Amino acid sequence: MDALRAFVRNNWVGYLFLSPWLIGFICLSAFPMGFSFYLSFTQYDMMNAPNWIGLSNYAEMFTADRKFMASMKVTANYVLIGVPLQLSFALFIALMLKRGIRGLQFYRAIYYVPSLFGGSVAIALLWRQLFGGDGLVNSLLLKVGIEGMNWLANPGTALYTLIILAIWQFGASMVIFLAGLKQIPNDLYESSKIDGAGRYRQFSSITLPLLTPIIFFNLVMQVISAFQAFTSSYIVSGGSGGPLNSTLFYTLYLYQQGFTNFLMGYASAMAWVLLLIIAFITALIFLSSGKWVFYQE
Amino acid sequence: MVIRGPSKLLYHIPILAGCLIMLYPLIWMFFSSFKDNTEIFTSSSLFPSKITFDNYLQGWKGVSGVTFGTFFTNTFYVTGMSIVGTLISCSMAAYAFSRLDFALKKVFFAIMLTTLMLPFHVTVIPQYIMFNKLGWINTYLPLYLPKFFAVEGFFIFLIVQFIRSLPRELDQAAAIDGCGPIRMYWYLILPLTLPALITTTIFTFIWTWNDFFSQLLYLSDIRLFTVALGLRMFTDSTGESSWGALFAMSLLSLIPVFLMFIFFQRYLIEGIAAGGVKG
């Protein structure tokens, strides 16, 4: 009894302050995760009780569901093309801005603006106009004598308009790169200059190695968020993921299965596959980091 | 290492050109919102031949008798409640993690950091089923109530980092003066963490304002629509025929976020940078 009293006395304030998070964690994260794991082995339409079907949802995904395979391919392309290009732009602009230029803060703000708005419905709608048949991109192309096309109606190009939208939002990564560049001590550059290192040598032997932890961080963050992109594909394709499933992001297909077809069990299974894919790729990046990420001391 | 002389201009030109390319879609949308509907497609000139405010008047009328005034009010309400909830719950959890001692603290902190990485899709379906059972579909509760339970772990982490940088001597001095842990939170820690709380406010504002997925999920009554849903509805009902009005309303929808950015840019940039450099 005394032990209990002592425990309460020592802990109640901490748990009092932690309680909103703890309740939220149990009711909105832990329990839903368990429930969703259970649902992934069932057939459930919200009308009738969940019906246990074992691994059927998972089996169907990988063997019979061609739309699922299409959404995997679209998402893989989006991540593999979009993220490296976005990070390259972010690094390139950060390096341009870092060279002791006046008005750094002004430029940084301008380049950040697309990231501020990029995820919104308003911008996705704008994108629909820009790349449409009689959109701005085509009228600009026409000026230089190139005949455009309806970039959104063509299954070969539709995804690239979404990738361009993602690259356009490189601002957040750029801000993190700029903060990282600021941490590199200036005397490293000065002493290397005395030793006769040129600009390229400075970049490859000082800037890039010292920046690898930041590249690593940005890579992990951008990969995780790219896998979860939704708004742009929903709005630009009008919710369909078309033409010919060419913009069917994984999350859009999950949404369609769960909330338009009410296949809640199937959608739950998809959510767990997504979690596993993200965990696997993040683990790969972490494991590879020993080979290319350089930590001082 | 400031670059001087004639080469200075050579650095500014490509950077300025880059700025123009980056902003061109937004600039074009701005000018198009003052153009006549036919002119948007027929003329390739950036500037309108005759400035018209028709698009704004037309667009503001909204869809089926519900104006954009309603959509904006709704969005401000959801955003405001989300900010209040996040500020209270995340600052409380951050105070517990950084200044108080209790059993399993390290375990909970590790769990909290892990939840940061989880895709929300693994919880969204059960949450939808729960909120449906509670009769909360077509209310704002699923959108802001979770924020009162610190679901955005990123902000807990941000505030924890900030509180840890405050000198412990302050707490000790306050404790000697007889200040208990609850008053310490309210009178000492909260005022001192103001910069981190401002960062939290700005990010919550922008994320909630730009959110689409959960609003799409939980709201189907048009009178409850947010700006994001209103814009989508607007294109569905008018088709591609009224781009001008759509641009006008899209532009208005960006203004609150833009103002936040203009006034609190420093906090926003520092918030992003802190996540990267300290993390």
Side-chain angles (χ1 to χ4, degrees):
Chain A
M1 214 41 215
D2 276 354
L4 182 70
R5 207 168 286 155
F7 179 83
V8 170
R9 197 177 52 235
N10 290 333
N11 290 288
W12 74 272
V13 183
Y15 278 95
L16 177 75
F17 277 95
L18 196 67
S19 57
W21 175 81
L22 198 56
I23 295 168
F25 169 69
I26 294 166
C27 300
L28 297 166
S29 295
F31 169 71
M33 273 182 81
F35 192 33
S36 131
F37 191 62
Y38 160 71
L39 281 180
S40 76
F41 301 105
T42 68
Q43 204 170 33
Y44 182 50
D45 59 1
M46 285 187 71
M47 304 292 214
N48 308 296
N51 175 26
W52 184 270
I53 52 167
L55 287 167
S56 299
N57 286 329
Y58 294 96
E60 194 187 332
M61 248 180 254
F62 290 101
T63 56
D65 188 349
R66 295 176 67 177
K67 227 175 153 182
F68 173 82
M69 293 318 271
S71 78
M72 288 274 270
K73 214 181 105 196
V74 168
T75 309
N77 279 334
Y78 180 74
V79 174
L80 287 176
I81 302 170
V83 173
L85 281 175
Q86 192 206 40
L87 290 184
S88 312
F89 269 98
L91 182 59
F92 179 72
I93 300 290
L95 288 169
M96 293 264 284
L97 292 183
K98 193 50 202 148
R99 291 160 97 178
I101 196 165
R102 272 183 163 225
L104 167 74
Q105 291 192 344
F106 169 77
Y107 289 128
R108 185 178 61 184
I110 301 271
Y111 280 107
Y112 184 75
V113 164
S115 302
L116 199 60
F117 302 138
S120 68
V121 169
I123 294 301
L125 286 169
L126 171 66
W127 234 245
R128 221 157 95 173
Q129 200 287 336
L130 292 186
F131 290 95
D134 42 10
L136 177 68
V137 170
N138 281 347
S139 67
L140 290 178
L141 283 177
L142 208 60
K143 273 190 185 169
V144 290
I146 301 169
E147 187 82 33
M149 57 163 137
N150 189 338
W151 306 94
L152 300 173
N154 185 335
T157 54
L159 179 62
Y160 291 94
T161 65
L162 300 183
I163 290 176
I164 292 171
L165 176 55
I167 297 170
W168 190 53
Q169 302 167 56
F170 63 70
S173 315
M174 178 199 69
V175 167
I176 296 172
F177 277 133
L178 277 171
L181 286 169
K182 228 159 111 185
Q183 308 263 309
I184 300 176
N186 218 353
D187 35 319
L188 282 179
Y189 292 107
E190 269 153 24
S191 53
S192 73
K193 209 170 173 182
I194 295 166
D195 294 341
R199 210 168 249 157
Y200 175 74
R201 190 65 209 274
Q202 284 185 336
F203 173 74
S204 65
S205 305
I206 301 172
T207 313
L208 206 55
L210 289 180
L211 216 52
T212 47
I214 312 284
I215 297 175
F216 171 72
F217 174 84
N218 272 337
L219 184 65
V220 171
M221 299 306 283
Q222 293 305 326
V223 164
I224 291 176
S225 84
F227 267 108
Q228 299 180 51
F230 174 79
T231 307
S232 63
S233 97
Y234 183 95
I235 294 292
V236 171
S237 73
S240 71
L244 293 175
N245 300 330
S246 63
T247 59
L248 186 69
F249 282 9
Y250 194 97
T251 53
L252 178 57
Y253 187 48
L254 192 154
Y255 170 83
Q256 288 179 351
Q257 290 293 59
F259 300 99
T260 44
N261 304 331
F262 287 98
L263 298 169
M264 293 290 193
Y266 196 85
S268 299
M270 280 188 70
W272 279 92
V273 172
L274 178 66
L275 174 78
L276 288 180
I277 294 172
I278 292 179
F280 178 72
I281 293 184
T282 313
L284 271 189
I285 302 175
F286 265 89
L287 285 177
S288 77
S289 70
K291 297 236 191 303
W292 61 275
V293 177
F294 176 81
Y295 289 103
Q296 284 174 286
E297 260 92 28
Chain B
M1 284 220 324
V2 173
I3 299 149
R4 285 170 213 285
S7 66
K8 206 163 105 179
L9 198 66
L10 285 175
Y11 280 110
H12 282 274
I13 288 169
I15 290 175
L16 272 171
C19 286
L20 188 68
I21 295 169
M22 289 291 284
L23 294 189
Y24 195 79
L26 296 170
I27 297 167
W28 182 79
M29 180 163 80
F30 174 78
F31 285 114
S32 293
S33 74
F34 297 104
K35 282 180 189 167
D36 194 59
N37 235 321
T38 47
E39 202 193 333
I40 294 175
F41 287 104
T42 49
S43 153
S44 58
S45 154
L46 181 61
F47 303 103
S49 57
K50 192 171 103 357
I51 291 174
T52 167
F53 290 95
D54 275 2
N55 292 327
Y56 286 87
L57 297 172
Q58 268 291 307
W60 191 259
K61 285 189 195 143
V63 203
S64 353
V66 186
T67 67
F68 265 86
T70 309
F71 299 150
F72 273 94
T73 316
N74 293 343
T75 317
F76 274 114
Y77 177 72
V78 172
T79 309
M81 293 299 278
S82 299
I83 290 172
V84 172
T86 304
L87 282 179
I88 296 172
S89 61
C90 289
S91 67
M92 283 174 72
Y95 176 61
F97 281 131
S98 55
R99 282 298 203 257
L100 300 174
D101 277 315
F102 53 91
L104 296 176
K105 177 165 131 172
K106 289 213 167 93
V107 177
F108 284 134
F109 193 65
I111 291 175
M112 191 275 291
L113 290 181
T114 318
T115 59
L116 283 180
M117 312 283 265
L118 285 179
F120 69 94
H121 306 86
V122 287
T123 54
V124 73
I125 288 160
Q127 279 182 13
Y128 183 86
I129 295 167
M130 276 161 54
F131 293 144
N132 185 46
K133 282 250 158 65
L134 291 165
W136 289 357
I137 306 296
N138 264 322
T139 70
Y140 297 128
L141 287 169
L143 301 182
Y144 70 74
L145 201 71
K147 306 287 165 72
F148 282 83
F149 296 95
V151 287
E152 299 282 10
F154 171 73
F155 299 121
I156 302 179
F157 181 69
L158 188 86
I159 303 170
V160 163
Q161 293 289 84
F162 197 89
I163 296 178
R164 278 183 183 160
S165 72
L166 300 173
R168 282 262 180 189
E169 288 78 18
L170 284 174
D171 302 32
Q172 286 154 5
I176 291 166
D177 290 343
C179 183
I182 297 172
R183 287 177 57 205
M184 187 111 66
Y185 163 75
W186 189 253
Y187 289 108
L188 188 74
I189 300 293
L190 267 195
L192 288 173
T193 27
L194 191 65
L197 297 180
I198 294 174
T199 308
T200 304
T201 304
I202 298 159
F203 275 103
T204 310
F205 183 94
I206 297 174
W207 290 354
T208 316
W209 193 273
N210 283 343
D211 174 42
F212 176 61
F213 189 87
S214 48
Q215 297 169 1
L216 177 72
L217 222 54
Y218 291 112
L219 304 176
S220 58
D221 180 350
I222 187 167
R223 281 164 306 172
L224 298 174
F225 270 16
T226 54
V227 174
L229 292 176
L231 284 174
R232 185 191 68 113
M233 185 73 158
F234 192 74
T235 31
D236 287 352
S237 66
T238 59
E240 319 266 294
S241 60
S242 54
W243 279 109
L246 182 71
F247 286 163
M249 291 306 108
S250 294
L251 209 76
L252 287 186
S253 83
L254 301 179
I255 289 175
V257 170
F258 191 63
L259 289 179
M260 274 299 212
F261 179 63
I262 296 287
F263 288 115
F264 299 103
Q265 204 206 115
R266 190 167 65 88
Y267 294 97
L268 194 98
I269 299 281
E270 274 169 16
I272 299 166
V277 177
K278 285 180 192 160

